């Protein structure tokens, strides 16, 4: 089998050289060829990422200083876009909502999924696979479908299933799509419902990677189940906890589909999120400059939040 | 454990109650979707609402078909998801092979760069991305979703780990001495060994693209180019009143992936777990 295509040139060069040179030349060419192939094989990612990933992000920074509706000439306006959005109460409301919904969603996800993973990992539970499949099914469902179904469950009307259930306990019907907290709770429930199963599965895998010998040794030393939980399980699960918290945080900062579908394209202030604000600025108001300024701000917020997040989880779990 | 019969059974019961409650909560929205999809909207909009499946299954779905091109949108989703998946498998395995087995300068740096890109949310470049698509004239064309979808940093990471762990160097050396080209080595030796990694990545990617919403919403505006997610969203956006019809569309859009999941559930769950744990 000979070398084909791209390398025939190199081969010819080798053949024309004298025998003394062949050895060094071939060695050199071989490693050159390997490098060339290496770069060639990784290049599709870098080309595509350059065009559709890196360039757009850098260009967002540039657009943040321009006034532009996507059609006419851009106009340099300095920091004006930033001034505009920072003086827009809806922008801050969007950031605030995103963070609140993030907390309302992430914290219960973490607690529920650790508990459920714990239970599903214990030896005596039967029908494990059925429970696993039912808990995981929401994750396979698209966010759009989730938002539509929950929109019906959390209907403002008294026949909505959430309000109906509440009425059994004597509560008045709640305006889920309007109330300051009701909106956030409804959206957090959608996030919670879709993501618990996924996190459960990850925690189960994490639990299974802890060697049984540790528990056996602890039992021999007389450690209680609770002590085992806090001194063996939680510390060894730390990397998994950090990973899932990181995923949930970045995920909740990107919340978009749920509020858009739940509240409609002119989302009320109570439920607008950062990405929804950005999208609305760009594609409803055709204000690409301010939308980019919002994207840049969001970029820094994500970096800061991820960092704080890392510090907190690190401290709590140790 | 030998800590007294009664307390033990009680905690066991408690644990089963938690599990059953969790499963019921997880499954209820699917049931509810079906109930509404099979009832006339008036049966749902009353107190108390219908809680059992009704007889309007066909009528509701006919209403969906009258409003959106349901099967066309399904086909678009299938085309996009399949093309992205196939492309990603090829690009990522090729790059994964290069990172795992070939020597070239700056390899470590490039690999770390790829890992860092995983942390950046793609929405941040949304507006320029949209602009690029308009400049390329790809608006309302499926390739506007397919081509950017081929970027998959996780896939490269995943493939590199797998190739590193499962393809022995000796095998590659032997093939090299026999004069195999690098592409032949990749195609005839590496690919057959990493089939399980292909399957895992395919599931993760296909599901992601199938369920994706924001980017298709931005670039696929014409109804003929809508994916199924965008199509069912237009039901909510335009015809807010008819819940029987809306949920019918939602239900039938959800069924295919759920069915595939139920058939291959073990494989699905394992794939996604491995994918998550590795990172």
């Amino acid at each position: 089998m000979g070398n084909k295509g791209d390398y025939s040139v190199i081969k010819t060069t080798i053949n024309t050289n004298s025998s003394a040179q062949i050895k060094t030349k071939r060695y050199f060419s071989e490693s050159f060829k390997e490098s060339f192939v290496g770069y060639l094989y990784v290049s599709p990612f870098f080309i595509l990422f350059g065009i559709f990933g890196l360039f757009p992000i850098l260009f967002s920074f540039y657009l943040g200083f321009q006034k532009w509706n996507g059609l006419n000439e851009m106009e340099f306006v300095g920091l004006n876009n930033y001034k505009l959005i920072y003086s827009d109460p809806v922008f801050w409301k969007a950031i605030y909502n995103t963070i609140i919904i993030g907390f309302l969603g992430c914290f219960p996800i973490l607690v529920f999924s650790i508990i459920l993973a714990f239970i599903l990992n214990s030896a005596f539970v039967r029908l494990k696979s059925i429970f696993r499949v039912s808990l995981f099914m929401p994750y396979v469902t698209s966010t759009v479908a989730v938002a539509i179904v929950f929109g019906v469950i959390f209907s403002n009307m008294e026949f909505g299933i959430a309000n109906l259930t509440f009425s059994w306990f004597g509560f008045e019907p709640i305006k889920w799509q309007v109330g300051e907290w009701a909106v956030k709770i409804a959206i957090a429930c959608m996030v919670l419902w879709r993501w618990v199963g996924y996190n459960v599965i990850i925690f189960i895998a994490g639990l299974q990677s802890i060697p049984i010998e540790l528990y056996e040794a602890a039992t021999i030393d007389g450690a209680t189940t609770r002590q085992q939980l806090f001194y063996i399980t939680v510390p060894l699960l730390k990397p998994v906890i950090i990973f899932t918290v990181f995923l949930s945080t970045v995920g909740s900062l990107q919340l978009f589909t749920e509020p858009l579908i739940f509240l409609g394209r002119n989302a009320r202030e109570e439920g607008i999120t950062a990405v929804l604000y950005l999208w609305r600025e760009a594609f409803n108001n055709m204000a690409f400059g301010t939308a980019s300024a919002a994207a840049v701000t969001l970029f820094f917020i994500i970096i800061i939040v991820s960092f704080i997040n890392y510090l907190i989880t690190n401290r709590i779990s140790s | 454990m030998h800590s007294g019969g009664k307390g033990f059974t009680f905690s066991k019961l408690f644990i089963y109650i938690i599990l059953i409650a969790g499963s019921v909560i997880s499954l209820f929205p699917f049931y509810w979707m079906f109930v509404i999809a099979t009832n006339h909207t008036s049966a749902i909009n009353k107190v108390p609402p219908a809680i059992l499946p009704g007889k309007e299954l066909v009528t509701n779905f006919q209403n969906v078909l009258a409003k959106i091109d349901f099967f066309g949108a399904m086909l678009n989703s299938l085309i996009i998801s399949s093309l992205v998946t196939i492309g990603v498998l090829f690009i990522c395995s090729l790059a994964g092979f290069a990172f795992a087995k070939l020597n070239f300068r700056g390899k470590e740096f490039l690999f770390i760069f790829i890992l860092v890109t995983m942390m950046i949310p793609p929405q941040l470049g949304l507006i320029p991305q949209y602009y690029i698509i308009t400049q390329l004239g790809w608006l309302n064309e499926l390739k506007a979703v397919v081509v950017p979808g081929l970027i998959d940093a996780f896939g490269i990471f995943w493939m590199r780990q797998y190739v590193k762990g499962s393809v022995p160097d000796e095998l590659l050396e032997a093939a090299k001495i026999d004069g195999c080209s690098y592409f032949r080595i990749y195609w005839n030796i590496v690919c057959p060994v990493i089939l399980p990694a292909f399957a895992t990545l395919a599931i993760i990617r296909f599901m992601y693209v199938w369920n994706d919403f924001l980017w298709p919403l931005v670039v696929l505006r014409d109804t003929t180019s809508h994916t199924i997610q965008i199509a069912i969203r237009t039901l909510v956006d335009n015809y807010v009143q008819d819940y029987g019809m809306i949920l019918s569309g939602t239900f039938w859009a959800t069924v295919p992936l759920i069915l595939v999941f139920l058939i291959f559930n073990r494989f699905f769950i394992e794939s996604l777990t491995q994918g998550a744990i590795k990172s």
Side-chain angles (χ1 to χ4, degrees):
Chain A
M1 271 175 279
N3 298 309
K4 287 185 225 156
D6 306 333
Y7 318 119
S8 53
V9 184
I10 301 165
K11 213 176 150 197
T12 341
T13 340
I14 298 168
N15 289 342
T16 52
N17 276 310
S18 69
S19 61
Q21 279 175 314
I22 284 177
K23 235 179 180 173
T24 51
K25 187 79 185 187
R26 180 173 283 160
Y27 175 71
F28 180 76
S29 306
E30 198 55 45
S31 76
F32 171 78
K33 195 162 97 184
E34 192 169 329
S35 301
F36 177 78
V37 172
Y39 290 126
L40 184 73
Y41 286 3
V42 302
S43 62
F45 173 85
F46 288 95
I47 294 168
L48 287 169
F49 181 75
I51 300 171
F52 296 105
L54 188 63
F55 171 73
I57 288 175
L58 297 177
F59 199 62
S60 281
F61 281 86
Y62 175 77
L63 273 181
F65 298 112
Q66 311 286 329
K67 187 178 179 182
W68 191 38
N69 63 4
L71 300 168
N72 300 348
E73 290 273 297
M74 291 178 204
E75 183 194 332
F76 181 79
V77 289
L79 288 171
N80 205 22
N81 289 329
Y82 290 91
K83 278 184 198 147
L84 274 174
I85 59 165
Y86 293 161
S87 60
D88 179 3
V90 180
F91 176 74
W92 294 112
K93 187 73 180 149
I95 303 279
Y96 168 80
N97 289 344
T98 311
I99 293 171
I100 297 291
I101 297 172
F103 271 112
L104 286 177
C106 294
F107 191 67
I109 287 180
L110 192 64
V111 175
F112 287 148
S113 47
I114 290 183
I115 293 174
L116 286 166
F118 231 89
I119 293 176
L120 279 175
N121 197 41
S122 47
F124 68 87
V125 174
R126 284 162 194 277
L127 301 172
K128 268 182 199 168
S129 59
I130 292 184
F131 288 123
R132 262 196 344 170
V133 168
S134 25
L135 288 172
F136 199 76
M137 237 165 87
Y139 181 69
V140 184
T141 317
S142 78
T143 330
V144 177
V146 174
I148 292 176
V149 180
F150 276 73
V152 179
I153 291 176
F154 288 104
S155 158
N156 287 343
M157 303 303 176
E158 49 189 314
F159 48 74
I161 201 82
N163 276 340
L164 195 71
T165 318
F166 274 26
S167 71
W168 297 339
F169 299 98
F171 289 102
E172 290 293 307
I174 294 172
K175 297 264 181 226
W176 292 103
Q177 277 144 345
V178 182
E180 169 74 26
W181 283 92
V183 167
K184 297 184 179 66
I185 291 170
I187 294 175
C189 282
M190 302 178 196
V191 177
L192 181 69
W193 183 77
R194 184 159 187 261
W195 286 93
V196 164
Y198 179 75
N199 284 286
V200 168
I201 302 295
I202 292 176
F203 279 123
I204 291 178
L207 288 172
Q208 282 168 352
S209 69
I210 300 174
I212 304 172
E213 292 79 31
L214 282 179
Y215 292 107
E216 286 168 354
T219 317
I220 293 168
D221 290 344
T224 64
T225 319
R226 232 182 92 180
Q227 281 172 326
Q228 292 181 14
L229 179 69
F230 283 108
Y231 294 106
I232 301 174
T233 316
V234 172
L236 285 175
L237 218 50
K238 194 169 127 182
V240 188
I241 295 177
I242 291 178
F243 170 72
T244 52
V245 170
F246 175 77
L247 269 193
S248 322
T249 321
V250 174
S252 53
L253 288 172
Q254 299 176 29
L255 264 182
F256 170 76
T257 314
E258 292 92 342
L260 175 71
I261 288 176
F262 187 50
L263 303 168
R265 59 170 67 233
N266 294 311
R268 295 171 56 94
E269 267 181 44
E270 290 83 1
I272 194 168
T273 58
V275 177
L276 186 52
Y277 180 90
L278 191 165
W279 176 82
R280 205 174 61 164
E281 279 295 293
F283 300 105
N284 267 10
N285 304 342
M286 300 316 266
F288 283 20
T290 47
S292 297
V296 170
T297 312
L298 192 60
F299 178 76
F300 287 113
I301 291 177
I302 288 179
I303 290 177
I304 295 167
V305 171
S306 307
F307 186 67
I308 296 175
N309 192 337
Y310 175 77
L311 288 182
I312 293 175
T313 22
N314 222 355
R315 177 157 302 174
I316 287 179
S317 1
S318 61
Chain B
M1 279 246 194
H2 200 73
S3 51
K6 203 183 171 193
F8 183 60
T9 10
F10 181 73
S11 65
K12 218 172 164 179
L13 180 74
F14 181 65
I15 276 172
Y16 276 112
I17 289 174
I18 295 180
L19 280 178
I20 290 168
S23 305
V24 168
I25 294 171
S26 294
L27 297 179
F28 177 76
F30 294 105
Y31 173 71
W32 200 237
M33 229 191 274
F34 186 66
V35 168
I36 301 181
T38 54
N39 273 297
H40 193 267
T41 303
S42 64
I44 303 144
N45 288 359
K46 64 173 195 205
V47 187
I51 51 166
L52 292 174
K55 296 189 177 104
E56 306 291 321
L57 180 83
V58 180
T59 329
N60 280 338
F61 192 60
Q62 278 168 344
N63 289 340
V64 172
L65 294 182
K67 298 283 198 291
I68 57 170
D69 181 8
F70 183 87
F71 294 107
M74 274 293 205
L75 185 66
N76 284 341
S77 277
L78 190 66
I79 293 172
I80 290 177
S81 309
S82 309
L83 287 179
V84 169
T85 306
I86 294 167
V88 155
L89 290 185
F90 181 66
I91 291 176
C92 292
S93 58
L94 211 53
F97 163 60
F99 278 123
K101 297 293 178 188
L102 300 181
N103 289 312
F104 49 96
R105 195 173 295 175
K107 184 167 97 166
E108 277 72 29
F109 171 78
L110 292 177
F111 187 65
I112 289 171
F113 180 85
I114 290 182
L115 293 186
V116 171
T117 66
M118 277 164 68
M119 312 235 173
I120 306 168
Q123 291 92 329
L124 297 176
L126 187 67
I127 293 141
Q129 281 162 355
Y130 167 76
Y131 180 64
I132 292 170
I133 294 297
T134 55
Q135 288 305 301
L136 291 169
W138 289 2
L139 212 60
N140 298 325
E141 287 187 41
L142 300 190
K143 60 186 169 202
V145 177
V146 174
V147 177
L150 296 175
I151 303 172
D152 186 0
F154 166 76
I156 294 181
F157 168 77
W158 170 248
M159 284 298 176
R160 178 210 182 236
Q161 302 304 90
Y162 206 93
V163 173
K164 228 183 161 100
S166 62
V167 184
D169 284 334
E170 296 77 30
L171 207 61
L172 302 183
E173 285 305 322
K176 249 191 225 175
I177 290 165
D178 287 347
C180 274
S181 71
Y182 285 103
F183 191 76
R184 275 197 82 98
I185 293 179
Y186 160 77
W187 191 252
N188 291 352
I189 297 174
V190 176
C191 281
V193 177
I194 60 170
L195 286 179
F198 276 128
T200 301
L201 186 59
I203 285 183
I204 295 176
R205 200 63 197 168
F206 190 93
M207 230 184 82
Y208 180 83
V209 180
W210 181 273
N211 289 337
D212 198 15
F213 179 67
L214 175 56
W215 181 241
L217 177 73
V218 167
V219 291
L220 302 179
R221 300 181 160 199
D222 192 72
T223 44
T224 55
S225 65
H226 278 176
T227 64
I228 188 66
Q229 309 301 338
I230 310 298
I232 59 172
R233 186 255 173 176
T234 55
L235 293 178
V236 193
D237 209 26
N238 301 333
Y239 313 97
V240 193
Q241 310 305 326
D242 192 357
Y243 282 113
M245 184 270 293
I246 293 172
L247 270 288
S248 172
T250 312
F251 180 77
W252 292 112
T254 308
V255 163
L257 206 57
I258 293 287
L259 274 185
V260 177
F261 166 67
L262 287 178
I263 296 167
F264 299 105
N265 74 76
R266 190 168 290 262
F267 194 62
F268 249 71
I269 294 179
E270 260 166 35
S271 295
L272 288 155
T273 318
Q274 282 176 355
I277 290 295
K278 272 277 160 66
S279 34

